[in-house]
Amino acid sequence: MNYRAWRHRCWLIPYMTRKQVLDELKKSTRWSELHVADNCCFHYRRSLLLALRDSHLENRENFLNVESETHLLWKEELRWDEMLIRRYQGRESLWIHRRFLSQWWIEQLITVDDTYLPSTPLVGVFVTQEIQLLSECLNAPADEYEESRAQAELAALYILWISKQVPIVEGKLEDRLSSISISMGKLDDVLERACRAEKRRLWTDLLGLAVAVAADQP
């Protein structure tokens, strides 16, 4: 029933005004913070954000302007999601939400870089920030419920997802993985370290890597 209720709210979004969409985004924040394992509300927020994005396209709002409403909303949503990820370990719904946010954000940053040619590419800055988040997840202290292990795996798979979903950043990821303070090595090294044995073969096969995992098999 909970799923049906959220689906109904999603159905109503096209009939909302921009102000109503913004109000719904604000009102759903607290509920999401109290139910971080429930993906339904995060899916609803994604639908609201997409409606705002489409609205800004129709109104010819310039997203490249860092002061634009859509730009600021998306940036704040990324910051808020990261805060929840740090607070609640091993919650897959939070990482799914981050994938959605990051994909469109990276696409816009690429456009900004290509248009204005900044001295420090914004995509590179964002990738470095995400790898730093991965670093912290990989080095979180172990706990009896294995939430830190789940967090490390979700973080590693998030980085893998970015590299495959947005191919232009794959080289940047590899460069920065080996350059940050803890020197994590290449992407396959990260997966080897973070993923459980039963999942490691799947992800390494997807990467097309010749990583021997036979030793992990009983």
Side-chain angles (χ1 to χ4, degrees):
M1 294 301 293
N2 183 52
Y3 171 78
R4 294 178 182 177
W6 285 112
R7 287 295 298 171
H8 183 66
R9 294 186 77 88
C10 289
W11 177 79
L12 291 170
I13 292 175
Y15 302 97
M16 297 179 186
T17 64
R18 185 179 178 90
K19 182 180 183 303
Q20 287 174 321
V21 172
L22 289 169
D23 288 344
E24 284 295 303
L25 195 63
K26 183 177 180 180
K27 287 191 296 185
S28 64
T29 299
R30 182 58 177 165
W31 199 97
S32 299
E33 291 176 349
L34 295 174
H35 303 83
V36 292
D38 188 345
N39 188 53
C40 290
C41 189
F42 288 100
H43 175 73
Y44 178 57
R45 291 181 68 83
R46 290 193 285 275
S47 299
L48 292 168
L49 287 167
L50 287 174
L52 290 171
R53 184 200 65 178
D54 294 343
S55 173
H56 108 259
L57 291 175
E58 291 173 2
N59 297 330
R60 297 186 178 181
E61 178 187 345
N62 183 13
F63 178 86
L64 302 186
N65 177 4
V66 296
E67 298 301 324
S68 72
E69 184 179 40
T70 307
H71 180 103
L72 295 174
L73 280 171
W74 219 276
K75 186 175 182 179
E76 173 58 24
E77 190 78 6
L78 276 163
R79 185 207 63 77
W80 174 72
D81 182 68
E82 181 177 342
M83 180 270 291
L84 293 178
I85 283 174
R86 294 176 185 275
R87 182 179 296 176
Y88 303 104
Q89 292 193 342
R91 300 302 190 270
E92 187 175 16
S93 57
L94 299 177
W95 289 99
I96 291 173
H97 194 54
R98 194 159 195 83
R99 291 184 187 189
F100 162 80
L101 296 170
S102 296
Q103 181 178 2
W104 194 70
W105 187 251
I106 289 173
E107 290 172 358
Q108 303 313 305
L109 294 182
I110 290 172
T111 302
V112 172
D113 287 345
D114 290 344
T115 302
Y116 298 113
L117 302 175
S119 56
T120 303
L122 298 179
V123 172
V125 173
F126 179 72
V127 168
T128 300
Q129 292 171 346
E130 298 306 280
I131 291 177
Q132 188 59 46
L133 176 60
L134 168 65
S135 169
E136 294 176 17
C137 293
L138 288 176
N139 288 279
D143 63 276
E144 61 178 312
Y145 302 108
E146 294 195 346
E147 290 184 341
S148 60
R149 179 62 183 270
Q151 180 87 324
E153 185 171 273
L154 289 168
L157 297 180
Y158 164 69
I159 293 296
L160 168 62
W161 180 88
I162 287 181
S163 73
K164 295 306 173 185
Q165 196 69 22
V166 192
I168 195 172
V169 306
E170 186 167 9
K172 299 179 186 295
L173 280 169
E174 291 288 4
D175 290 342
R176 284 164 174 75
L177 279 171
S178 57
S179 65
I180 64 174
S181 59
I182 65 166
S183 186
M184 290 187 289
K186 294 185 177 296
L187 188 52
D188 53 326
D189 298 322
V190 172
L191 293 172
E192 179 77 15
R193 176 178 173 183
C195 294
R196 288 165 287 182
E198 61 269 23
K199 288 189 175 182
R200 200 173 301 146
R201 182 184 295 276
L202 170 63
W203 301 120
T204 52
D205 285 348
L206 286 175
L207 276 171
L209 300 169
V211 177
V213 294
D216 293 326
Q217 304 299 321

